[in-house]
Amino acid sequence: MTHPFLDLPPLSAAHFAAIEDGVARLLDTRQDVLVMQGEALLPLEGAIRSAAGPGTTALNVITGPYGQTFGNWLRDCGARVIDLSVPFHTAVTAAQVREAFAAHPQIDFVSLVHAEAATGNTNPVAEIGAVVREHGALFYLDAVASVGAEPVLPDAWGVDLCVIGAQKAMGGPAGVSAVSVSERAWARMAANPHAPRRSYLSLLDWKERWLDGGRAALPHAPAQLEMLALQACLERIEADGPQAVMRRHRTAALATRAGAVALGGGLEPYVYEEADAAPVATTLRVPSGVVASELVAGALAGDGTLPLAAGGGALAAEMIRVNHYGVDATVGAVQASLAALGAGLAERGRTVDLEGARRAVESAWR
């Protein structure tokens, strides 16, 4: 039996390196780029454990659940952690970061999530990066959800460790991910006696065995199918044009917000300000008396392909997420999602305007 996914020739070191170069072009970076053989949690955790330790004072920005996770990792590394938390319906500001530096001038590491798909907000990385550079701290960025949906520019923004994943706006695989690493970050890792070595989490192992050898020999067998899928989604983005792909995601977000407001029934954007809303996914707040997870379950029972999810944890009762990313960044996916939510609200006795929502979505898409 033959199959297009089986019996493929081995992925060469040159092919692997070419895929890394495609990631670097997407990020417009001259930093080293490593494509890691696992979901994005691998480089996210590996980068923190490599660069932080008992002598680190970290400013950890929390605008959603991933920021909370990073704080836990930093503490586990022995770092002193100063949490800067903002309500999940908003974004952090550069002024708030500047105030944190003024109160704690010893901060030498900043961790930030660009876009929190789980809460639907996005943070002004360029402005925050300028503040971080002024104080000389190392800047770590989770751009897993934002890449492909909005600009991600490590060099221009002064980001030292930028982690991306392909499974959301890039429309690619979840089994591989990537991290760009600045020279400052490599130096910090090399000076950190607690950085993982001889470990799946070790970025330094990759540097020594892969980058320092001129990317001539792979340190282990790569995840072949995932690497080919990553290459395919990079080629598709390059063919469509990154600006066109980002514009499609931004339009989907604007259309979802406009359609939800026009739909009525008590449904409203969870992130108050449009400027704080992430292009990758839109979160919606359900009216009092309606349980978000139940509304989503009903919608998915009618059409399991809809890009809908309830909020995680305590947010499952009040938040719905419309995941209009990748192949679902379309007018059809947005309209179908809102129509299904509107039908569910109507069943619960709420007054909705399905035609008004449809027109609002179409108007925003023009």
Side-chain angles (χ1 to χ4, degrees):
M1 176 181 177
T2 62
H3 192 283
F5 293 160
L6 299 176
D7 306 319
L8 297 172
L11 195 72
S12 68
H15 195 167
F16 194 103
I19 296 171
E20 288 183 330
D21 292 342
V23 174
R25 287 194 300 273
L26 179 65
L27 301 179
D28 193 21
T29 183
R30 297 174 65 86
Q31 296 179 5
D32 289 325
V33 170
L34 292 174
V35 173
M36 305 291 285
Q37 305 296 279
E39 199 271 339
L41 282 172
L42 171 61
L44 285 170
E45 182 173 0
I48 280 182
R49 295 191 181 278
S50 294
T56 302
T57 299
L59 175 65
N60 180 51
V61 181
I62 301 176
T63 59
Y66 279 99
Q68 294 171 328
T69 297
F70 300 158
N72 293 337
W73 287 340
L74 286 162
R75 290 182 176 88
D76 192 52
C77 291
R80 179 193 175 203
V81 181
I82 298 152
D83 286 327
L84 171 55
S85 300
V86 301
F88 288 177
H89 62 259
T90 187
V92 73
T93 67
Q96 289 172 307
V97 173
R98 190 182 299 279
E99 290 169 3
F101 271 107
H104 306 279
Q106 66 273 38
I107 291 170
D108 59 1
F109 185 97
V110 175
S111 52
L112 175 71
V113 179
H114 188 183
E116 284 269 11
T119 49
N121 54 36
T122 191
N123 292 300
V125 182
E127 292 86 347
I128 292 169
V131 176
V132 176
R133 283 197 303 274
E134 288 175 14
H135 293 82
L138 207 69
F139 193 12
Y140 162 101
L141 184 69
D142 171 356
V144 174
S146 56
V147 66
E150 54 188 308
V152 177
L153 302 169
D155 293 10
W157 296 344
V159 178
D160 296 288
L161 292 159
C162 182
V163 177
I164 67 166
Q167 68 268 32
K168 290 189 168 65
M170 289 178 66
V176 290
S177 48
V179 55
S180 67
V181 187
S182 73
E183 289 299 326
R184 293 195 330 137
W186 285 129
R188 181 76 68 94
M189 294 179 207
N192 180 12
H194 301 278
R197 301 308 306 268
R198 296 168 296 282
S199 165
Y200 200 54
L201 290 172
S202 177
L203 272 63
L204 286 172
D205 287 357
W206 269 96
K207 183 178 187 301
E208 291 183 358
R209 299 177 63 192
W210 173 241
L211 296 178
D212 291 351
R215 301 192 297 180
L218 286 163
H220 54 67
Q224 171 115 329
L225 294 179
E226 288 81 359
M227 289 297 294
L228 294 175
L230 175 60
Q231 179 183 16
C233 82
L234 288 167
E235 290 174 347
R236 184 168 60 185
I237 291 171
E238 287 187 345
D240 291 346
Q243 294 302 318
V245 175
M246 289 186 282
R247 184 164 56 249
R248 189 161 62 238
H249 283 84
R250 170 53 69 186
T251 302
L254 295 174
T256 304
R257 288 177 70 88
V261 171
L263 179 66
L267 203 65
E268 60 184 22
Y270 184 85
V271 177
Y272 294 172
E273 300 294 332
E274 183 181 294
D276 295 340
V280 67
T282 298
T283 47
L284 303 171
R285 190 185 304 275
V286 299
S288 176
V290 175
V291 178
S293 57
E294 295 175 359
L295 189 61
V296 168
L300 293 177
D303 183 353
T305 68
L306 293 173
L308 294 173
L315 296 175
E318 65 180 33
M319 178 197 286
I320 292 171
R321 191 169 76 241
V322 184
N323 294 318
H324 45 65
Y325 52 69
V327 296
D328 289 317
T330 65
V331 64
V334 172
Q335 286 185 332
S337 297
L338 291 175
L341 295 175
L345 288 169
E347 290 175 359
R348 290 163 173 76
R350 304 284 171 165
T351 300
V352 297
D353 184 357
L354 294 174
E355 178 60 21
R358 186 190 66 80
R359 290 196 303 268
V361 170
E362 288 186 350
S363 177
W365 212 273
R366 291 194 185 100

